[in-house]
Amino acid sequence: MDKRPATGRKNTIEQAYMQKPLLHVEHLGICRTGVRTSEDKPLLRNVNFSVYAGEIVALTGPSGCGKSLTAHAIAGMLDPGVGVTQGCIYYNGEDIIPFHEQRWQRLRREDIALLIQQSLSGLNPIRTVRAQLTDTLRLHGRRLVHAQRERGQADAALSHIVSLQPRSQGVMSRMRQVLNRATELAVGRTTPEQEAYLHSLLRKVGFADPEHILSSYPFELSGGMCQRVLLAAMLSSGPRLFIADEPTTALDIINRDKVLALLLQLRTDFDLTILLISHDRQGISRIADRVLEMTPEGRVQP
């Protein structure tokens, strides 16, 4: 296992070197597991790296080298027909590759959160943000450990609606009324504790008006807003390891820096360990404790 350098956190250098990694990937190989031919090549081979508790480690490299594939393997979310054929993935000292699906689900529910590039499809467009985040809290059944830490622009998705005629705006209003009624029938009210926690959580991911966001539907929010809502949903489960796969893709430099600064702050607020997947080495190097380079052949170099 590789050694951990000093990261600028409270741990002394001596303590850091004595610490065992939270995540250790050893000789990882990934191949297609369906019908194979002699010409098939491994999708990933001999990947080795460690991530220590409290670190932000960036995994970068050219498109197609296997960064996202590695992230999906760590979260047990490889596509059908693709599997780990070599090596181990140790989380908290235990090899998690042999886990059956029920244990993988528990691990993702309680310890490992993966924010993927296509994760915006994870929001139900006809349910309010409040209803969906409340469902997440009930599903996890976790203590609201961060509720007491903090109290107290028009989005891109609706930019075209502003210019519509009043008749179309009336259609949107009626649609909202129908959806609100359906939501009221489908779910119960949030408790005061849940409501306070959701407000606190949304503030932590950068929303100045949590009540507006909670009352909104995903189709009323921009892509960036939906991404932060999903981030809040994942953080609500209290994960230890957060994997962000290309969180700044297609963002301009100002919004990219805002997202990176948010991740840096969330590490402190939620005591997170972060594995950041990105092709933007220059940007992520400003917040990462270490940057690892993945070669086109699917190997990791420090």
Side-chain angles (χ1 to χ4, degrees):
M1 296 186 184
D2 56 354
K3 295 182 178 180
R4 176 193 181 190
T7 64
R9 291 172 63 83
K10 293 181 179 179
N11 292 13
T12 64
I13 295 177
E14 292 79 8
Q15 289 173 327
Y17 273 89
M18 292 173 60
Q19 189 180 16
K20 291 183 179 180
L22 179 65
L23 172 71
H24 178 65
V25 178
E26 185 175 283
H27 303 304
L28 180 66
I30 297 176
C31 296
R32 301 190 187 281
T33 56
V35 178
R36 301 181 61 189
T37 69
S38 59
E39 297 181 356
D40 284 345
K41 296 181 179 179
L43 301 175
L44 209 66
R45 66 181 78 188
N46 200 30
V47 172
N48 298 273
F49 66 93
S50 295
V51 181
Y52 292 82
E55 276 193 307
I56 297 180
V57 172
L59 183 60
T60 187
S63 297
C65 66
K67 304 184 300 296
S68 294
L69 199 61
T70 301
H72 281 71
I74 294 169
M77 296 176 63
L78 289 172
D79 291 337
V82 177
V84 175
T85 54
Q86 178 184 344
C88 303
I89 300 175
Y90 294 98
Y91 175 77
N92 205 24
E94 182 177 13
D95 186 6
I96 59 179
I97 290 178
F99 279 11
H100 51 72
E101 184 55 29
Q102 187 175 2
R103 291 198 69 186
W104 272 115
Q105 290 177 3
R106 180 178 178 182
L107 190 67
R108 289 192 293 265
R109 188 168 62 244
E110 298 181 358
D111 285 88
I112 299 177
L114 171 61
L115 181 66
I116 61 177
Q117 297 178 53
Q118 298 82 16
S119 57
L120 296 185
S121 60
L123 289 177
N124 188 328
I126 60 171
R127 301 190 70 220
T128 63
V129 171
R130 174 180 279 106
Q132 295 185 65
L133 290 183
T134 302
D135 282 351
T136 301
L137 293 182
R138 290 169 179 162
L139 173 65
H140 293 301
R142 305 294 293 274
R143 294 179 59 194
L144 306 185
V145 293
H146 300 288
Q148 303 302 322
R149 288 191 178 182
E150 180 181 311
R151 298 292 186 187
Q153 302 183 355
D155 57 77
L158 283 185
S159 60
H160 66 290
I161 294 176
V162 176
S163 62
L164 296 181
Q165 298 299 319
R167 180 173 177 274
S168 296
Q169 292 176 340
V171 171
M172 290 295 296
S173 178
R174 289 195 295 274
M175 181 187 299
R176 237 190 170 281
Q177 291 175 6
V178 172
L179 292 175
N180 283 340
R181 181 56 180 161
T183 297
E184 289 175 3
L185 294 173
V187 299
R189 294 182 178 275
T190 57
T191 66
E193 184 185 30
Q194 288 173 332
E195 193 74 11
Y197 179 61
L198 292 180
H199 276 247
S200 174
L201 194 61
L202 289 176
R203 286 194 184 96
K204 286 184 180 295
V205 296
F207 289 115
D209 187 357
E211 181 57 35
H212 169 69
I213 301 300
L214 288 170
S215 302
S216 298
Y217 293 89
F219 65 79
E220 297 177 305
L221 303 176
S222 70
M225 288 176 169
C226 288
Q227 185 184 50
R228 280 185 282 159
V229 168
L230 280 165
L231 180 57
M234 293 176 179
L235 293 175
S236 70
S237 67
R240 295 182 64 191
L241 176 63
F242 181 75
I243 306 172
D245 186 5
E246 298 284 4
T248 61
T249 295
L251 296 180
D252 57 53
I253 187 169
I254 294 176
N255 286 310
R256 181 194 67 189
D257 289 346
K258 287 181 178 179
V259 169
L260 294 176
L262 175 61
L263 290 175
L264 193 61
Q265 182 62 46
L266 291 175
R267 170 174 68 172
T268 300
D269 290 346
F270 291 87
D271 196 23
L272 290 175
T273 301
I274 299 176
L275 178 60
L276 180 57
I277 311 294
S278 178
H279 65 275
D280 177 23
R281 184 183 180 103
Q282 182 178 0
I284 60 180
S285 62
R286 293 200 295 271
I287 71 164
D289 298 307
R290 289 185 292 131
V291 178
L292 306 176
E293 184 84 25
M294 181 170 279
T295 69
E297 294 76 28
R299 294 184 175 88
V300 173
Q301 298 176 344

